[in-house]
Structures are given as structure tokens and as C-alpha cells.
Amino acid sequence: EKYHMLLQLIHDSLLLLKISLEGTVLIGPEMELLGRCITANLVPPTWQCAYPSSKPLASWINDLNSRVSFVSAWLRSGSEPISMSLPSFIAP
């Protein structure tokens, strides 16, 4: 559930940033920070609180994708995996 909440937060904030950049909504300080972080390849602070890491944004996204893929495959299979990705359970 934490991954789902994090993915929803990422989706919502990126959608709001897109709308802000199109000029439909005023860009507030949070959206300005989000845009700066993405441009600098940094994980935005609002995303860090859900899944902290010192990795640059691109690596963080790849890692998040790996974690979500592991948990999704596990849930789809309905049985415990033969081996488990320990990082998938740490700090999300």
C-alpha cells in the first residue's frame, strides 16, 4: 500500500506540475521546487519522505520501478517467491 500511495503522489504532483507549466494553474513554491529538483536530477523532498535515498532521480526511479515490479509479481503469483529482494522491504 505504501508503494501505491507513493506512486499516486508522484502521479499527482507531476500532473499538477504539467498543468502549472501550461499556465492553467499558478506555479506555487512546491511546484517550483519540484521542477527545479527534476531539472537537477534530484528526488523531490515530498517523494523522499515516502522512500528516502541518496540516489539521483533517474536511479531512484529505476530502483522504485524494480521494487514495485518485485512486489507486483509476488502479489500476482499468489505464493511466496523463491528468493526475495531485501531492498524491496526497506524504507518504503
Side-chain angles (χ1 to χ4, degrees):
E1 186 168 313
K2 287 187 180 187
Y3 285 128
H4 177 72
M5 291 171 34
L6 174 58
L7 293 173
Q8 189 65 50
L9 171 68
I10 292 169
H11 175 269
D12 293 347
S13 59
L14 289 175
L15 183 60
L16 186 55
L17 179 63
K18 179 182 182 257
I19 292 169
S20 298
L21 292 173
E22 291 171 345
T24 308
V25 176
L26 290 176
I27 295 179
E30 188 175 316
M31 287 299 106
E32 188 175 336
L33 178 60
L34 177 65
R36 275 198 233 131
C37 287
I38 290 171
T39 302
N41 196 28
L42 301 171
V43 180
T46 54
W47 302 356
Q48 279 275 2
C49 65
Y51 170 25
S53 174
S54 59
K55 294 181 178 185
L57 180 60
S59 298
W60 187 86
I61 293 290
N62 288 337
D63 186 59
L64 176 61
N65 186 46
S66 295
R67 290 172 183 236
V68 170
S69 294
F70 170 78
V71 172
S72 295
W74 183 2
L75 292 173
R76 278 193 310 274
S77 75
S79 62
E80 193 172 305
I82 295 170
S83 64
M84 293 189 183
S85 172
L86 188 57
S88 297
F89 300 101
I90 298 174

Coordinates of all heavy atoms in Angstrom, one line a residue:
E1 N 0.8 -1.2 0.0 CA 0.0 0.0 0.0 C 0.9 1.3 0.0 O 0.5 2.3 -0.6 CB -0.9 0.0 1.2 CG -1.9 1.1 1.1 CD -3.0 1.0 2.1 OE1 -3.6 0.0 2.2 OE2 -3.2 2.0 2.8
K2 N 2.0 1.2 0.7 CA 2.9 2.4 0.7 C 3.4 2.7 -0.7 O 3.5 3.9 -1.1 CB 4.1 2.2 1.6 CG 3.7 2.2 3.1 CD 4.8 2.2 4.0 CE 4.4 2.3 5.4 NZ 5.5 2.4 6.3
Y3 N 3.7 1.7 -1.5 CA 4.1 1.9 -2.9 C 3.0 2.6 -3.7 O 3.2 3.5 -4.5 CB 4.6 0.7 -3.6 CG 6.0 0.2 -3.1 CD1 6.2 -1.1 -2.7 CD2 7.1 1.0 -3.1 CE1 7.4 -1.5 -2.3 CE2 8.3 0.6 -2.7 CZ 8.5 -0.7 -2.3 OH 9.7 -1.1 -1.9
H4 N 1.8 2.1 -3.5 CA 0.7 2.6 -4.2 C 0.5 4.1 -3.8 O 0.3 5.0 -4.7 CB -0.6 1.9 -3.9 CG -1.8 2.4 -4.5 ND1 -2.1 2.3 -5.9 CD2 -2.9 3.1 -4.0 CE1 -3.2 2.9 -6.1 NE2 -3.7 3.4 -5.0
M5 N 0.6 4.4 -2.6 CA 0.5 5.8 -2.1 C 1.6 6.7 -2.7 O 1.3 7.8 -3.2 CB 0.4 5.9 -0.6 CG -0.8 5.3 0.0 SD -0.9 5.1 1.8 CE 0.1 6.5 2.4
L6 N 2.8 6.2 -2.8 CA 3.9 6.9 -3.3 C 3.7 7.1 -4.8 O 3.9 8.2 -5.3 CB 5.2 6.2 -3.1 CG 6.5 6.7 -3.7 CD1 6.7 8.2 -3.3 CD2 7.7 5.9 -3.4
L7 N 3.3 6.1 -5.5 CA 3.1 6.2 -7.0 C 1.9 7.2 -7.3 O 2.0 8.0 -8.2 CB 2.7 4.9 -7.6 CG 3.9 3.9 -7.6 CD1 3.4 2.5 -8.1 CD2 5.0 4.4 -8.4
Q8 N 0.9 7.3 -6.4 CA -0.2 8.2 -6.6 C 0.3 9.7 -6.3 O 0.0 10.6 -7.1 CB -1.3 7.9 -5.6 CG -2.6 8.7 -5.9 CD -3.2 8.4 -7.2 OE1 -3.4 7.3 -7.6 NE2 -3.4 9.5 -8.0
L9 N 1.2 9.8 -5.3 CA 1.8 11.1 -5.0 C 2.6 11.6 -6.2 O 2.5 12.8 -6.6 CB 2.7 11.0 -3.7 CG 3.5 12.3 -3.4 CD1 2.6 13.4 -3.0 CD2 4.5 11.9 -2.3
I10 N 3.4 10.7 -6.8 CA 4.3 11.1 -7.9 C 3.4 11.5 -9.1 O 3.6 12.5 -9.7 CB 5.2 9.9 -8.3 CG1 6.3 9.7 -7.2 CG2 5.9 10.2 -9.6 CD1 7.1 8.5 -7.3
H11 N 2.4 10.7 -9.4 CA 1.5 11.0 -10.5 C 0.8 12.3 -10.3 O 0.8 13.1 -11.2 CB 0.5 9.8 -10.6 CG -0.6 10.1 -11.6 ND1 -1.8 10.7 -11.3 CD2 -0.6 9.8 -12.9 CE1 -2.5 10.8 -12.5 NE2 -1.8 10.3 -13.4
D12 N 0.2 12.5 -9.1 CA -0.5 13.8 -8.9 C 0.4 15.0 -9.0 O 0.0 16.0 -9.5 CB -1.2 13.7 -7.5 CG -2.3 12.7 -7.4 OD1 -2.7 12.2 -8.5 OD2 -2.7 12.4 -6.3
S13 N 1.6 14.9 -8.4 CA 2.5 16.1 -8.4 C 3.0 16.3 -9.8 O 3.1 17.5 -10.2 CB 3.6 15.9 -7.4 OG 4.4 14.8 -7.7
L14 N 3.3 15.3 -10.6 CA 3.7 15.5 -12.0 C 2.6 16.1 -12.8 O 2.8 17.0 -13.7 CB 4.3 14.2 -12.6 CG 5.6 13.7 -12.0 CD1 5.9 12.4 -12.6 CD2 6.7 14.7 -12.3
L15 N 1.4 15.6 -12.6 CA 0.2 16.2 -13.3 C 0.0 17.7 -13.0 O -0.2 18.5 -13.9 CB -1.0 15.4 -13.0 CG -2.3 15.8 -13.7 CD1 -2.1 15.6 -15.2 CD2 -3.5 14.9 -13.2
L16 N 0.1 18.0 -11.7 CA 0.0 19.4 -11.3 C 1.1 20.3 -11.9 O 0.9 21.4 -12.3 CB -0.1 19.5 -9.8 CG -0.3 20.9 -9.2 CD1 -1.6 21.5 -9.7 CD2 -0.4 20.8 -7.7
L17 N 2.3 19.7 -11.9 CA 3.5 20.4 -12.5 C 3.2 20.7 -14.0 O 3.4 21.8 -14.5 CB 4.8 19.7 -12.3 CG 6.0 20.3 -12.9 CD1 6.3 21.7 -12.2 CD2 7.2 19.4 -12.8
K18 N 2.7 19.7 -14.7 CA 2.4 19.8 -16.1 C 1.4 20.9 -16.3 O 1.5 21.8 -17.2 CB 1.9 18.5 -16.7 CG 1.5 18.6 -18.1 CD 1.0 17.2 -18.6 CE 0.7 17.3 -20.1 NZ -0.8 17.4 -20.3
I19 N 0.3 20.9 -15.5 CA -0.8 21.9 -15.6 C -0.2 23.3 -15.3 O -0.5 24.3 -16.0 CB -1.9 21.5 -14.7 CG1 -2.6 20.3 -15.2 CG2 -2.9 22.7 -14.6 CD1 -3.6 19.7 -14.2
S20 N 0.6 23.4 -14.3 CA 1.3 24.6 -13.9 C 2.1 25.2 -15.0 O 2.1 26.4 -15.3 CB 2.1 24.5 -12.7 OG 1.3 24.1 -11.6
L21 N 2.9 24.3 -15.7 CA 3.8 24.7 -16.7 C 3.0 25.2 -18.0 O 3.5 26.0 -18.8 CB 4.8 23.6 -17.1 CG 5.8 23.3 -16.0 CD1 6.6 22.1 -16.4 CD2 6.7 24.5 -15.8
E22 N 1.8 24.6 -18.2 CA 1.0 25.0 -19.3 C 0.3 26.4 -19.0 O -0.3 26.9 -19.9 CB -0.1 23.9 -19.5 CG 0.5 22.7 -20.1 CD -0.6 21.5 -20.1 OE1 -1.6 21.6 -19.5 OE2 -0.3 20.5 -20.8
G23 N 0.4 26.8 -17.8 CA -0.2 28.1 -17.4 C -1.6 28.1 -17.0 O -2.3 29.1 -16.7
T24 N -2.2 26.9 -16.8 CA -3.5 26.7 -16.4 C -3.7 27.1 -14.9 O -4.7 27.6 -14.5 CB -4.0 25.3 -16.6 OG1 -3.8 25.0 -18.0 CG2 -5.5 25.1 -16.3
V25 N -2.7 26.7 -14.1 CA -2.6 27.0 -12.7 C -1.4 27.7 -12.4 O -0.3 27.5 -13.0 CB -2.7 25.6 -11.9 CG1 -2.5 25.8 -10.4 CG2 -3.9 24.8 -12.3
L26 N -1.4 28.6 -11.4 CA -0.2 29.3 -10.9 C 0.8 28.4 -10.3 O 0.4 27.4 -9.6 CB -0.6 30.4 -9.9 CG -1.4 31.6 -10.4 CD1 -1.7 32.5 -9.3 CD2 -0.6 32.3 -11.5
I27 N 2.0 28.6 -10.6 CA 3.1 27.8 -10.0 C 3.4 28.3 -8.6 O 3.8 29.4 -8.4 CB 4.4 27.8 -10.9 CG1 4.1 27.2 -12.3 CG2 5.5 27.1 -10.2 CD1 5.3 27.2 -13.2
G28 N 3.1 27.4 -7.7 CA 3.4 27.7 -6.3 C 4.8 27.3 -5.9 O 5.6 26.7 -6.7
P29 N 5.3 27.6 -4.7 CA 6.6 27.2 -4.3 C 6.9 25.7 -4.3 O 8.0 25.3 -4.7 CB 6.7 27.7 -2.8 CG 5.5 28.6 -2.6 CD 4.5 28.3 -3.7
E30 N 5.9 24.9 -4.0 CA 6.1 23.5 -4.1 C 6.3 23.0 -5.5 O 7.2 22.1 -5.8 CB 4.9 22.7 -3.4 CG 5.1 21.2 -3.3 CD 4.0 20.6 -2.6 OE1 3.5 21.1 -1.5 OE2 3.6 19.5 -3.0
M31 N 5.6 23.5 -6.4 CA 5.7 23.1 -7.8 C 7.0 23.7 -8.4 O 7.7 23.0 -9.2 CB 4.5 23.6 -8.7 CG 3.3 22.9 -8.5 SD 3.4 21.1 -8.9 CE 3.4 20.4 -7.3
E32 N 7.4 24.8 -8.0 CA 8.7 25.4 -8.4 C 9.8 24.5 -7.9 O 10.8 24.2 -8.7 CB 8.9 26.8 -7.9 CG 10.1 27.5 -8.4 CD 10.1 29.0 -8.0 OE1 9.1 29.6 -7.6 OE2 11.2 29.5 -8.0
L33 N 9.8 24.1 -6.7 CA 10.8 23.2 -6.1 C 10.8 21.8 -6.9 O 11.9 21.3 -7.2 CB 10.6 23.0 -4.6 CG 11.6 22.0 -3.9 CD1 13.0 22.5 -4.1 CD2 11.2 21.8 -2.5
L34 N 9.6 21.3 -7.2 CA 9.5 20.1 -7.9 C 10.2 20.2 -9.3 O 11.0 19.3 -9.7 CB 8.1 19.6 -8.1 CG 7.8 18.4 -8.9 CD1 8.4 17.2 -8.2 CD2 6.3 18.2 -9.1
G35 N 9.9 21.3 -10.0 CA 10.5 21.5 -11.3 C 12.0 21.6 -11.2 O 12.8 21.1 -12.0
R36 N 12.5 22.3 -10.2 CA 14.0 22.5 -10.0 C 14.6 21.2 -9.7 O 15.7 20.9 -10.2 CB 14.3 23.5 -8.9 CG 14.2 24.9 -9.4 CD 15.0 25.8 -8.4 NE 14.0 26.9 -8.1 CZ 13.7 27.3 -6.8 NH1 14.3 26.8 -5.8 NH2 12.9 28.3 -6.7
C37 N 14.0 20.4 -8.8 CA 14.6 19.1 -8.5 C 14.7 18.2 -9.7 O 15.7 17.5 -10.0 CB 13.8 18.4 -7.4 SG 14.0 19.1 -5.8
I38 N 13.6 18.1 -10.5 CA 13.6 17.3 -11.7 C 14.7 17.7 -12.7 O 15.4 16.9 -13.2 CB 12.2 17.2 -12.3 CG1 11.2 16.5 -11.4 CG2 12.2 16.6 -13.7 CD1 9.8 16.6 -11.8
T39 N 14.8 19.0 -12.9 CA 15.8 19.5 -13.8 C 17.2 19.2 -13.3 O 18.1 18.9 -14.1 CB 15.6 21.1 -13.9 OG1 14.3 21.3 -14.4 CG2 16.6 21.7 -14.9
A40 N 17.4 19.2 -12.0 CA 18.7 18.9 -11.4 C 19.0 17.4 -11.2 O 20.0 17.0 -10.6 CB 18.9 19.7 -10.1
N41 N 18.0 16.6 -11.6 CA 18.1 15.1 -11.4 C 18.2 14.8 -9.9 O 18.9 13.9 -9.5 CB 19.3 14.5 -12.1 CG 19.2 13.0 -12.2 OD1 18.2 12.4 -12.3 ND2 20.4 12.4 -12.3
L42 N 17.4 15.5 -9.1 CA 17.3 15.2 -7.6 C 15.9 14.7 -7.3 O 14.9 15.1 -7.9 CB 17.6 16.5 -6.8 CG 18.9 17.2 -7.0 CD1 18.9 18.6 -6.4 CD2 20.0 16.3 -6.5
V43 N 15.8 13.9 -6.3 CA 14.5 13.4 -5.9 C 13.8 14.5 -5.1 O 14.4 15.0 -4.1 CB 14.6 12.1 -5.0 CG1 13.3 11.6 -4.6 CG2 15.4 11.0 -5.7
P44 N 12.6 14.9 -5.4 CA 11.9 16.0 -4.7 C 11.7 15.6 -3.2 O 11.4 14.4 -3.0 CB 10.6 16.1 -5.4 CG 10.9 15.6 -6.8 CD 11.9 14.5 -6.6
P45 N 11.8 16.5 -2.3 CA 11.6 16.2 -0.9 C 10.3 15.5 -0.6 O 10.3 14.7 0.3 CB 11.7 17.6 -0.2 CG 12.4 18.5 -1.2 CD 12.1 17.9 -2.5
T46 N 9.2 15.9 -1.3 CA 7.9 15.3 -1.0 C 7.9 13.8 -1.3 O 7.2 13.0 -0.7 CB 6.8 16.0 -1.7 OG1 7.1 16.0 -3.1 CG2 6.6 17.4 -1.2
W47 N 8.7 13.4 -2.3 CA 8.9 12.0 -2.6 C 9.8 11.3 -1.7 O 9.6 10.1 -1.4 CB 9.3 11.8 -4.1 CG 8.5 12.5 -5.1 CD1 7.3 13.1 -4.9 CD2 8.7 12.5 -6.5 NE1 6.8 13.6 -6.1 CE2 7.6 13.2 -7.1 CE3 9.7 12.0 -7.3 CZ2 7.6 13.4 -8.5 CZ3 9.7 12.3 -8.7 CH2 8.6 13.0 -9.3
Q48 N 10.8 12.0 -1.3 CA 11.9 11.4 -0.4 C 11.3 10.9 1.0 O 11.7 10.0 1.5 CB 13.0 12.4 0.0 CG 14.0 12.6 -1.1 CD 15.1 11.5 -1.0 OE1 15.1 10.7 -0.1 NE2 16.1 11.6 -1.9
C49 N 10.2 11.6 1.5 CA 9.7 11.3 2.8 C 9.0 9.9 2.7 O 9.0 9.2 3.7 CB 8.7 12.3 3.3 SG 7.2 12.5 2.3
A50 N 8.6 9.5 1.5 CA 8.0 8.2 1.4 C 9.0 7.1 1.1 O 8.8 5.9 1.4 CB 6.9 8.2 0.3
Y51 N 10.1 7.5 0.5 CA 11.1 6.5 0.1 C 12.4 7.1 0.0 O 12.9 7.5 -1.0 CB 10.6 5.9 -1.3 CG 11.6 5.0 -2.0 CD1 12.6 4.3 -1.4 CD2 11.5 4.9 -3.4 CE1 13.5 3.5 -2.1 CE2 12.4 4.1 -4.1 CZ 13.4 3.4 -3.5 OH 14.3 2.6 -4.1
P52 N 13.1 7.3 1.2 CA 14.3 8.1 1.2 C 15.5 7.3 0.6 O 15.6 6.1 0.6 CB 14.6 8.2 2.7 CG 13.8 7.2 3.4 CD 12.7 6.8 2.5
S53 N 16.3 8.1 -0.1 CA 17.5 7.6 -0.8 C 18.4 8.8 -1.1 O 18.0 9.9 -1.3 CB 17.1 6.9 -2.1 OG 18.2 6.5 -2.8
S54 N 19.7 8.5 -1.3 CA 20.7 9.5 -1.7 C 21.0 9.4 -3.2 O 21.8 10.1 -3.7 CB 22.0 9.3 -0.9 OG 22.5 8.1 -1.1
K55 N 20.2 8.5 -3.9 CA 20.5 8.4 -5.3 C 19.9 9.6 -6.1 O 19.0 10.2 -5.7 CB 19.7 7.1 -5.8 CG 20.2 5.8 -5.2 CD 19.5 4.6 -5.8 CE 20.1 3.4 -5.2 NZ 19.4 2.2 -5.8
P56 N 20.5 9.8 -7.3 CA 19.9 10.8 -8.2 C 18.6 10.4 -8.6 O 18.2 9.2 -8.6 CB 20.9 10.9 -9.3 CG 21.8 9.7 -9.2 CD 21.7 9.2 -7.8
L57 N 17.8 11.3 -9.1 CA 16.4 11.0 -9.5 C 16.3 9.8 -10.5 O 15.4 8.9 -10.3 CB 15.7 12.2 -10.1 CG 14.3 12.1 -10.5 CD1 13.4 11.7 -9.4 CD2 13.8 13.4 -11.2
A58 N 17.1 9.8 -11.5 CA 17.0 8.7 -12.5 C 17.2 7.4 -11.9 O 16.4 6.4 -12.1 CB 17.9 9.0 -13.7
S59 N 18.2 7.2 -11.1 CA 18.5 6.0 -10.4 C 17.4 5.6 -9.4 O 17.0 4.4 -9.2 CB 19.8 6.0 -9.7 OG 20.9 6.2 -10.6
W60 N 16.9 6.6 -8.7 CA 15.8 6.4 -7.7 C 14.6 5.9 -8.4 O 13.9 4.9 -7.9 CB 15.5 7.8 -7.0 CG 14.6 7.7 -5.9 CD1 14.8 7.4 -4.6 CD2 13.2 8.0 -6.0 NE1 13.7 7.5 -3.8 CE2 12.6 7.8 -4.7 CE3 12.3 8.3 -7.0 CZ2 11.3 8.0 -4.3 CZ3 10.9 8.5 -6.7 CH2 10.5 8.3 -5.4
I61 N 14.2 6.4 -9.6 CA 13.1 6.0 -10.3 C 13.3 4.5 -10.8 O 12.4 3.7 -10.7 CB 12.8 6.9 -11.6 CG1 12.4 8.3 -11.1 CG2 11.8 6.3 -12.5 CD1 11.0 8.3 -10.5
N62 N 14.5 4.2 -11.3 CA 14.8 2.8 -11.7 C 14.7 1.9 -10.5 O 14.1 0.8 -10.6 CB 16.2 2.7 -12.3 CG 16.3 3.3 -13.6 OD1 15.3 3.5 -14.3 ND2 17.5 3.7 -14.0
D63 N 15.2 2.3 -9.3 CA 15.1 1.5 -8.1 C 13.6 1.3 -7.7 O 13.2 0.2 -7.4 CB 15.9 2.1 -7.0 CG 16.0 1.2 -5.8 OD1 16.4 0.1 -5.9 OD2 15.5 1.7 -4.7
L64 N 12.9 2.3 -7.7 CA 11.4 2.3 -7.4 C 10.7 1.3 -8.3 O 9.9 0.5 -7.9 CB 10.8 3.7 -7.4 CG 9.3 3.7 -7.2 CD1 8.9 3.2 -5.8 CD2 8.8 5.1 -7.4
N65 N 11.0 1.4 -9.6 CA 10.4 0.5 -10.6 C 10.7 -1.0 -10.3 O 9.8 -1.8 -10.3 CB 10.8 0.9 -12.0 CG 10.1 0.1 -13.0 OD1 8.9 0.0 -13.0 ND2 10.9 -0.4 -14.0
S66 N 12.0 -1.2 -9.9 CA 12.4 -2.6 -9.6 C 11.6 -3.1 -8.3 O 11.1 -4.2 -8.3 CB 13.9 -2.7 -9.3 OG 14.6 -2.4 -10.4
R67 N 11.5 -2.2 -7.3 CA 10.8 -2.6 -6.1 C 9.3 -2.9 -6.4 O 8.7 -3.9 -5.9 CB 10.9 -1.5 -5.1 CG 12.3 -1.3 -4.5 CD 12.3 -0.1 -3.6 NE 13.7 0.1 -3.1 CZ 13.9 0.2 -1.8 NH1 13.0 0.1 -0.9 NH2 15.2 0.4 -1.4
V68 N 8.7 -2.0 -7.1 CA 7.2 -2.2 -7.5 C 7.0 -3.4 -8.3 O 6.1 -4.2 -8.1 CB 6.7 -0.9 -8.1 CG1 5.3 -1.1 -8.7 CG2 6.7 0.3 -7.2
S69 N 7.9 -3.7 -9.3 CA 7.8 -4.9 -10.1 C 7.9 -6.1 -9.3 O 7.2 -7.1 -9.5 CB 8.9 -4.9 -11.2 OG 8.7 -3.8 -12.1
F70 N 8.8 -6.1 -8.3 CA 9.0 -7.3 -7.5 C 7.8 -7.6 -6.7 O 7.2 -8.7 -6.7 CB 10.2 -7.1 -6.5 CG 10.3 -8.2 -5.5 CD1 10.8 -9.4 -5.7 CD2 9.9 -7.9 -4.2 CE1 10.9 -10.4 -4.8 CE2 9.9 -8.9 -3.2 CZ 10.4 -10.1 -3.5
V71 N 7.2 -6.6 -6.0 CA 6.0 -6.7 -5.2 C 4.8 -7.1 -6.0 O 4.0 -8.0 -5.7 CB 5.8 -5.5 -4.3 CG1 4.4 -5.5 -3.6 CG2 6.9 -5.2 -3.3
S72 N 4.7 -6.5 -7.2 CA 3.6 -6.8 -8.1 C 3.6 -8.3 -8.6 O 2.6 -8.9 -8.6 CB 3.6 -5.9 -9.3 OG 3.4 -4.6 -9.0
A73 N 4.8 -8.7 -8.9 CA 5.0 -10.1 -9.4 C 4.6 -11.1 -8.3 O 4.0 -12.1 -8.5 CB 6.4 -10.4 -9.9
W74 N 5.0 -10.7 -7.1 CA 4.8 -11.6 -5.9 C 3.3 -11.6 -5.6 O 2.7 -12.7 -5.4 CB 5.5 -11.0 -4.7 CG 5.3 -11.7 -3.4 CD1 4.7 -12.9 -3.2 CD2 5.9 -11.4 -2.1 NE1 4.8 -13.3 -1.9 CE2 5.5 -12.4 -1.2 CE3 6.6 -10.3 -1.7 CZ2 5.8 -12.3 0.1 CZ3 7.0 -10.3 -0.4 CH2 6.6 -11.3 0.5
L75 N 2.6 -10.5 -5.7 CA 1.1 -10.5 -5.5 C 0.4 -11.3 -6.6 O -0.6 -12.0 -6.3 CB 0.6 -9.1 -5.4 CG 1.1 -8.3 -4.2 CD1 0.6 -6.8 -4.3 CD2 0.5 -8.9 -2.9
R76 N 0.8 -11.1 -7.8 CA 0.2 -11.8 -8.9 C 0.4 -13.3 -8.8 O -0.5 -14.1 -9.1 CB 0.7 -11.3 -10.3 CG 0.1 -10.1 -10.8 CD 0.4 -9.8 -12.2 NE 1.9 -9.9 -12.5 CZ 2.7 -8.9 -12.4 NH1 2.3 -7.7 -11.9 NH2 4.0 -9.1 -12.7
S77 N 1.5 -13.8 -8.3 CA 1.8 -15.2 -8.3 C 1.0 -15.9 -7.2 O 0.7 -17.1 -7.3 CB 3.3 -15.5 -8.0 OG 3.6 -15.2 -6.7
G78 N 0.7 -15.2 -6.1 CA -0.1 -15.7 -5.0 C 0.7 -16.6 -4.1 O 0.1 -17.2 -3.2
S79 N 1.9 -16.8 -4.4 CA 2.8 -17.6 -3.5 C 4.1 -16.9 -3.2 O 4.5 -16.0 -3.9 CB 3.1 -19.0 -4.1 OG 3.8 -18.8 -5.3
E80 N 4.7 -17.3 -2.1 CA 6.0 -16.7 -1.7 C 7.1 -17.0 -2.7 O 7.2 -18.1 -3.2 CB 6.4 -17.3 -0.3 CG 7.5 -16.5 0.3 CD 7.7 -17.0 1.8 OE1 6.8 -17.1 2.5 OE2 8.9 -17.4 2.0
P81 N 7.8 -16.0 -3.1 CA 8.9 -16.2 -4.1 C 10.0 -17.0 -3.5 O 10.2 -17.1 -2.3 CB 9.4 -14.8 -4.4 CG 8.9 -13.9 -3.3 CD 7.7 -14.6 -2.7
I82 N 10.8 -17.7 -4.4 CA 11.9 -18.5 -4.0 C 13.0 -17.6 -3.4 O 13.6 -18.0 -2.4 CB 12.5 -19.3 -5.2 CG1 11.4 -20.2 -5.7 CG2 13.8 -20.0 -4.9 CD1 11.8 -20.9 -7.1
S83 N 13.2 -16.5 -3.9 CA 14.2 -15.5 -3.3 C 13.5 -14.2 -3.2 O 12.6 -13.9 -4.0 CB 15.4 -15.4 -4.2 OG 15.1 -14.9 -5.4
M84 N 13.9 -13.4 -2.2 CA 13.2 -12.1 -2.0 C 14.3 -11.0 -2.1 O 15.4 -11.2 -1.7 CB 12.6 -12.1 -0.6 CG 11.5 -13.0 -0.4 SD 10.7 -12.6 1.1 CE 9.4 -13.9 1.1
S85 N 13.8 -9.9 -2.7 CA 14.7 -8.7 -2.8 C 14.6 -7.9 -1.5 O 13.6 -7.2 -1.3 CB 14.2 -7.9 -4.0 OG 14.8 -6.7 -4.1
L86 N 15.5 -8.1 -0.7 CA 15.5 -7.4 0.6 C 15.3 -5.9 0.5 O 14.5 -5.3 1.3 CB 16.8 -7.7 1.4 CG 16.8 -7.2 2.8 CD1 15.7 -7.8 3.6 CD2 18.2 -7.6 3.5
P87 N 15.9 -5.2 -0.4 CA 15.7 -3.7 -0.5 C 14.2 -3.4 -0.8 O 13.8 -2.3 -0.4 CB 16.5 -3.3 -1.7 CG 17.6 -4.3 -1.8 CD 17.0 -5.6 -1.4
S88 N 13.4 -4.3 -1.3 CA 12.0 -4.0 -1.6 C 11.2 -3.8 -0.3 O 10.2 -3.3 -0.3 CB 11.4 -5.2 -2.3 OG 12.0 -5.3 -3.6
F89 N 11.8 -4.3 0.8 CA 11.1 -4.2 2.1 C 11.7 -3.1 3.0 O 11.2 -2.9 4.1 CB 11.2 -5.5 2.9 CG 10.5 -6.6 2.1 CD1 11.3 -7.5 1.4 CD2 9.2 -6.8 2.1 CE1 10.7 -8.5 0.6 CE2 8.6 -7.8 1.3 CZ 9.4 -8.7 0.6
I90 N 12.7 -2.4 2.6 CA 13.4 -1.5 3.4 C 13.0 -0.1 3.1 O 13.1 0.3 1.9 CB 15.0 -1.6 3.3 CG1 15.4 -3.0 3.8 CG2 15.7 -0.5 4.1 CD1 16.8 -3.3 3.5
A91 N 12.6 0.7 4.0 CA 12.3 2.1 4.0 C 11.2 2.6 3.1 O 11.1 3.8 2.8 CB 13.6 2.9 3.6
P92 N 10.3 1.8 2.5 CA 9.3 2.4 1.8 C 8.1 2.8 2.7 O 8.0 2.4 3.7 CB 8.8 1.3 0.8 CG 9.2 0.0 1.5 CD 10.4 0.3 2.4

